[in-house]
Amino acid sequence: MINRPPFGDRVEAGQLLARALIHYANRPNAVVLALPRGGVPVGYEIARALALPLDVLIVRKLGVPGHEELAMGAIASGGVRVLYNEVIQDLGIADKAIEAVAARERRELERREHVYRDHRPVLEVHDRIVLLVDDGLATGTTMLAAIKALRARHPAGIVVGVPVAPPSTVSTIRREVDEIVCLLTPELFYGVGLWYADFHQVTDDEVRSLLDRAEHAQHNEVGGPGSGARSQ
Protein backbone atom coordinates (compact mmCIF):
# COMPACT_ATOMS: atom_id res chain seq x y z
CA MET A 1 0.00 0.00 0.00
CA ILE A 2 1.08 3.61 -0.51
CA ASN A 3 1.10 6.32 2.13
CA ARG A 4 0.53 9.38 -0.03
CA PRO A 5 -1.37 9.32 -3.31
CA PRO A 6 0.80 10.62 -6.19
CA PHE A 7 -2.08 12.62 -7.70
CA GLY A 8 -3.87 15.30 -5.72
CA ASP A 9 -6.89 15.19 -8.01
CA ARG A 10 -7.82 14.71 -11.67
CA VAL A 11 -6.78 18.28 -12.51
CA GLU A 12 -3.24 17.64 -11.32
CA ALA A 13 -3.17 14.27 -13.06
CA GLY A 14 -4.27 15.91 -16.30
CA GLN A 15 -1.61 18.58 -16.03
CA LEU A 16 1.10 15.97 -15.47
CA LEU A 17 -0.19 13.85 -18.33
CA ALA A 18 -0.23 16.91 -20.60
CA ARG A 19 3.52 17.30 -20.06
CA ALA A 20 4.05 13.72 -21.22
CA LEU A 21 1.94 14.41 -24.32
CA ILE A 22 3.45 17.81 -25.10
CA HIS A 23 4.71 16.63 -28.51
CA TYR A 24 1.07 16.73 -29.67
CA ALA A 25 0.62 20.40 -28.72
CA ASN A 26 -0.86 22.74 -31.34
CA ARG A 27 -1.15 20.01 -33.96
CA PRO A 28 -3.94 20.94 -36.38
CA ASN A 29 -4.75 17.26 -36.95
CA ALA A 30 -4.93 16.23 -33.26
CA VAL A 31 -7.95 16.15 -30.90
CA VAL A 32 -8.69 14.97 -27.36
CA LEU A 33 -11.54 12.55 -26.58
CA ALA A 34 -12.25 11.92 -22.90
CA LEU A 35 -14.20 9.06 -21.35
CA PRO A 36 -16.91 10.46 -19.04
CA ARG A 37 -17.25 11.11 -16.39
CA GLY A 38 -13.87 10.86 -14.65
CA GLY A 39 -11.79 11.25 -17.78
CA VAL A 40 -13.22 14.65 -18.65
CA PRO A 41 -11.36 16.74 -16.01
CA VAL A 42 -8.16 14.97 -17.08
CA GLY A 43 -8.92 15.50 -20.76
CA TYR A 44 -9.80 19.15 -20.21
CA GLU A 45 -6.39 19.90 -18.72
CA ILE A 46 -4.68 18.11 -21.60
CA ALA A 47 -6.75 19.91 -24.23
CA ARG A 48 -6.12 23.26 -22.52
CA ALA A 49 -2.36 22.75 -22.18
CA LEU A 50 -1.94 21.40 -25.72
CA ALA A 51 -4.39 23.86 -27.35
CA LEU A 52 -6.48 21.02 -28.82
CA PRO A 53 -10.24 20.50 -29.25
CA LEU A 54 -12.02 18.39 -26.60
CA ASP A 55 -14.99 16.04 -26.91
CA VAL A 56 -16.32 12.94 -25.13
CA LEU A 57 -16.59 9.32 -26.18
CA ILE A 58 -19.18 7.69 -23.96
CA VAL A 59 -18.56 4.13 -22.75
CA ARG A 60 -20.50 2.08 -20.19
CA LYS A 61 -19.18 -0.96 -18.33
CA LEU A 62 -21.37 -4.07 -18.32
CA GLY A 63 -21.19 -5.31 -14.74
CA VAL A 64 -21.79 -8.91 -13.72
CA PRO A 65 -25.31 -9.18 -12.20
CA GLY A 66 -24.97 -9.12 -8.43
CA HIS A 67 -21.28 -8.17 -8.69
CA GLU A 68 -21.48 -4.98 -10.72
CA GLU A 69 -17.92 -3.93 -9.91
CA LEU A 70 -16.71 -6.92 -11.99
CA ALA A 71 -16.81 -6.19 -15.72
CA MET A 72 -18.14 -8.75 -18.17
CA GLY A 73 -17.91 -6.27 -21.04
CA ALA A 74 -18.65 -2.72 -22.14
CA ILE A 75 -20.65 -0.76 -24.69
CA ALA A 76 -19.76 2.49 -26.45
CA SER A 77 -21.37 5.11 -28.65
CA GLY A 78 -22.06 3.85 -32.15
CA GLY A 79 -23.50 0.48 -31.09
CA VAL A 80 -20.13 -1.02 -30.11
CA ARG A 81 -20.09 -3.87 -27.62
CA VAL A 82 -17.08 -5.73 -26.17
CA LEU A 83 -17.62 -8.86 -24.07
CA TYR A 84 -15.23 -10.72 -21.77
CA ASN A 85 -16.17 -14.23 -22.86
CA GLU A 86 -13.89 -15.85 -20.28
CA VAL A 87 -15.68 -14.08 -17.42
CA ILE A 88 -19.09 -14.88 -18.91
CA GLN A 89 -18.28 -18.56 -19.37
CA ASP A 90 -16.57 -18.97 -15.99
CA LEU A 91 -19.56 -17.48 -14.17
CA GLY A 92 -22.18 -19.10 -16.40
CA ILE A 93 -23.91 -15.81 -17.20
CA ALA A 94 -26.92 -16.37 -19.45
CA ASP A 95 -27.44 -14.42 -22.68
CA LYS A 96 -30.70 -13.06 -21.27
CA ALA A 97 -28.87 -11.57 -18.28
CA ILE A 98 -26.23 -10.00 -20.54
CA GLU A 99 -28.91 -8.42 -22.73
CA ALA A 100 -30.75 -7.03 -19.69
CA VAL A 101 -27.58 -5.35 -18.39
CA ALA A 102 -26.70 -4.09 -21.87
CA ALA A 103 -30.17 -2.59 -22.34
CA ARG A 104 -29.97 -0.76 -19.01
CA GLU A 105 -26.52 0.61 -19.74
CA ARG A 106 -27.55 1.59 -23.28
CA ARG A 107 -30.30 3.77 -21.82
CA GLU A 108 -27.76 5.48 -19.58
CA LEU A 109 -25.37 5.90 -22.50
CA GLU A 110 -28.10 7.55 -24.55
CA ARG A 111 -29.06 9.79 -21.61
CA ARG A 112 -25.47 10.97 -21.28
CA GLU A 113 -25.19 11.57 -25.03
CA HIS A 114 -28.19 13.88 -24.78
CA VAL A 115 -27.07 15.64 -21.59
CA TYR A 116 -23.45 16.17 -22.62
CA ARG A 117 -24.01 16.79 -26.29
CA ASP A 118 -27.02 19.14 -26.14
CA HIS A 119 -26.40 21.55 -29.05
CA ARG A 120 -22.80 20.40 -29.49
CA PRO A 121 -22.06 18.38 -32.65
CA VAL A 122 -19.72 15.41 -32.62
CA LEU A 123 -16.06 16.30 -33.01
CA GLU A 124 -14.73 15.17 -36.38
CA VAL A 125 -11.93 12.59 -35.96
CA HIS A 126 -11.56 11.22 -39.50
CA ASP A 127 -7.88 11.27 -40.50
CA ARG A 128 -6.95 12.96 -37.22
CA ILE A 129 -4.77 11.80 -34.32
CA VAL A 130 -6.98 11.14 -31.31
CA LEU A 131 -5.70 11.39 -27.75
CA LEU A 132 -8.10 9.06 -25.92
CA VAL A 133 -8.05 9.91 -22.22
CA ASP A 134 -9.37 8.54 -18.92
CA ASP A 135 -8.50 9.05 -15.24
CA GLY A 136 -7.06 5.54 -14.98
CA LEU A 137 -7.53 1.96 -16.13
CA ALA A 138 -8.19 -1.20 -14.16
CA THR A 139 -9.09 -4.08 -16.50
CA GLY A 140 -9.18 -1.80 -19.53
CA THR A 141 -12.56 -3.14 -20.72
CA THR A 142 -14.16 0.26 -21.21
CA MET A 143 -11.08 1.60 -22.97
CA LEU A 144 -11.10 -1.37 -25.36
CA ALA A 145 -14.73 -0.62 -26.21
CA ALA A 146 -13.83 3.03 -26.76
CA ILE A 147 -10.96 2.06 -29.07
CA LYS A 148 -13.24 -0.22 -31.08
CA ALA A 149 -15.84 2.55 -31.40
CA LEU A 150 -13.19 5.04 -32.42
CA ARG A 151 -11.69 2.74 -35.07
CA ALA A 152 -15.04 2.79 -36.88
CA ARG A 153 -14.61 6.56 -37.33
CA HIS A 154 -11.27 6.08 -39.15
CA PRO A 155 -8.82 8.26 -37.21
CA ALA A 156 -5.27 8.67 -38.46
CA GLY A 157 -4.00 7.33 -35.14
CA ILE A 158 -5.07 6.56 -31.57
CA VAL A 159 -2.98 7.55 -28.55
CA VAL A 160 -4.27 6.45 -25.14
CA GLY A 161 -3.31 8.68 -22.21
CA VAL A 162 -3.98 7.73 -18.59
CA PRO A 163 -2.38 8.68 -15.28
CA VAL A 164 -2.32 5.15 -13.84
CA ALA A 165 -2.94 1.52 -14.82
CA PRO A 166 -1.53 -1.91 -13.96
CA PRO A 167 1.24 -3.20 -16.26
CA SER A 168 -0.91 -6.03 -17.65
CA THR A 169 -3.61 -3.61 -18.75
CA VAL A 170 -1.06 -1.28 -20.33
CA SER A 171 0.29 -4.24 -22.31
CA THR A 172 -3.21 -5.17 -23.48
CA ILE A 173 -4.04 -1.64 -24.59
CA ARG A 174 -0.66 -1.14 -26.27
CA ARG A 175 -1.48 -3.92 -28.73
CA GLU A 176 -4.61 -2.07 -29.83
CA VAL A 177 -3.33 1.49 -30.35
CA ASP A 178 -0.48 3.45 -31.89
CA GLU A 179 0.82 4.68 -28.54
CA ILE A 180 -0.07 4.57 -24.87
CA VAL A 181 1.22 7.08 -22.33
CA CYS A 182 0.74 6.02 -18.71
CA LEU A 183 2.45 7.88 -15.88
CA LEU A 184 2.28 5.13 -13.25
CA THR A 185 2.18 1.34 -13.71
CA PRO A 186 2.13 -0.14 -10.19
CA GLU A 187 2.31 -3.92 -9.85
CA LEU A 188 0.12 -3.71 -6.74
CA PHE A 189 -2.72 -1.74 -8.24
CA TYR A 190 -5.79 -2.18 -5.95
CA GLY A 191 -7.92 0.38 -7.82
CA VAL A 192 -7.77 3.70 -9.67
CA GLY A 193 -9.08 5.77 -6.76
CA LEU A 194 -6.25 4.71 -4.47
CA TRP A 195 -3.80 6.80 -6.50
CA TYR A 196 -5.72 10.05 -5.95
CA ALA A 197 -6.09 12.12 -2.79
CA ASP A 198 -9.35 13.49 -4.19
CA PHE A 199 -11.30 11.02 -6.31
CA HIS A 200 -14.81 12.43 -5.95
CA GLN A 201 -17.51 11.34 -8.36
CA VAL A 202 -17.63 13.76 -11.28
CA THR A 203 -21.14 15.04 -11.99
CA ASP A 204 -22.95 15.58 -15.26
CA ASP A 205 -22.87 19.31 -14.57
CA GLU A 206 -19.08 19.24 -14.23
CA VAL A 207 -18.76 17.40 -17.54
CA ARG A 208 -21.00 19.88 -19.34
CA SER A 209 -19.20 22.85 -17.80
CA LEU A 210 -15.78 21.58 -18.86
CA LEU A 211 -16.97 20.80 -22.40
CA ASP A 212 -18.50 24.28 -22.67
CA ARG A 213 -15.29 25.90 -21.44
CA ALA A 214 -13.18 23.88 -23.85
CA GLU A 215 -15.45 24.75 -26.77
CA HIS A 216 -15.38 28.45 -25.86
CA ALA A 217 -11.57 28.38 -25.64
CA GLN A 218 -11.31 26.71 -29.05
CA HIS A 219 -13.62 29.28 -30.65
CA ASN A 220 -11.48 32.07 -29.24
CA GLU A 221 -8.31 30.29 -30.40
CA VAL A 222 -9.42 29.83 -34.02
CA GLY A 223 -11.45 33.00 -34.33
CA GLY A 224 -14.97 31.63 -34.17
CA PRO A 225 -17.12 28.59 -34.83
CA GLY A 226 -16.59 28.63 -38.58
CA SER A 227 -13.29 26.77 -38.39
CA GLY A 228 -14.73 23.49 -39.63
CA ALA A 229 -13.30 21.50 -36.71
CA ARG A 230 -16.66 19.86 -36.01
CA SER A 231 -19.20 18.18 -38.21
CA GLN A 232 -22.73 17.00 -37.89
Side-chain angles (χ1 to χ4, degrees):
M1 299 289 287
I2 57 176
N3 295 320
R4 179 184 179 279
F7 305 118
D9 56 16
R10 293 179 178 90
V11 171
E12 181 184 353
Q15 292 168 349
L16 292 171
L17 195 52
R19 296 177 192 173
L21 293 164
I22 195 65
H23 48 293
Y24 292 102
N26 298 299
R27 289 200 187 185
N29 69 329
V31 301
V32 179
L33 292 188
L35 274 57
R37 298 180 179 113
V40 177
V42 179
Y44 174 81
E45 293 301 323
I46 294 170
R48 185 175 67 87
L50 275 52
L52 299 177
L54 173 69
D55 201 358
V56 291
L57 200 166
I58 302 174
V59 183
R60 296 292 298 170
K61 179 179 74 174
L62 302 180
V64 172
H67 302 277
E68 282 71 20
E69 73 285 352
L70 177 61
M72 62 178 176
I75 58 173
S77 302
V80 170
R81 182 163 76 172
V82 174
L83 294 178
Y84 271 180
N85 291 320
E86 185 176 344
V87 172
I88 292 168
Q89 292 169 6
D90 286 349
L91 297 179
I93 304 169
D95 290 346
K96 186 176 180 180
I98 297 170
E99 294 305 322
V101 173
R104 183 180 68 246
E105 295 301 336
R106 195 175 301 113
R107 288 192 294 271
E108 175 61 14
L109 187 150
E110 291 169 354
R111 184 195 72 81
R112 291 192 181 195
E113 283 279 8
H114 175 73
V115 170
Y116 302 158
R117 191 70 57 198
D118 195 14
H119 68 284
R120 186 181 295 105
V122 176
L123 188 66
E124 180 58 68
V125 300
H126 181 76
D127 282 341
R128 305 176 89 178
I129 297 170
V130 177
L131 308 186
L132 192 56
V133 177
D134 205 353
D135 57 7
L137 302 177
T139 63
T141 308
T142 53
M143 184 60 77
L144 289 171
I147 292 165
K148 185 176 179 181
L150 189 53
R151 287 284 182 210
R153 294 165 63 183
H154 307 291
I158 300 176
V159 178
V160 168
V162 291
V164 61
S168 59
T169 299
V170 172
S171 296
T172 298
I173 298 298
R174 182 175 285 119
R175 292 193 291 267
E176 304 296 326
V177 297
D178 299 279
E179 181 184 358
I180 179 168
V181 176
C182 182
L183 303 180
L184 294 176
T185 55
E187 289 287 350
L188 299 178
F189 182 71
Y190 301 110
V192 173
L194 180 71
W195 305 91
Y196 289 84
D198 175 2
F199 197 67
H200 72 275
Q201 182 170 319
V202 178
T203 66
D204 287 341
D205 286 343
E206 287 180 80
V207 171
R208 289 187 62 171
S209 174
L210 290 171
L211 291 175
D212 286 343
R213 287 164 60 186
E215 184 176 44
H216 181 71
Q218 272 294 304
H219 283 184
N220 289 343
E221 183 80 18
V222 301
S227 63
R230 294 177 179 266
S231 76
Q232 299 283 0

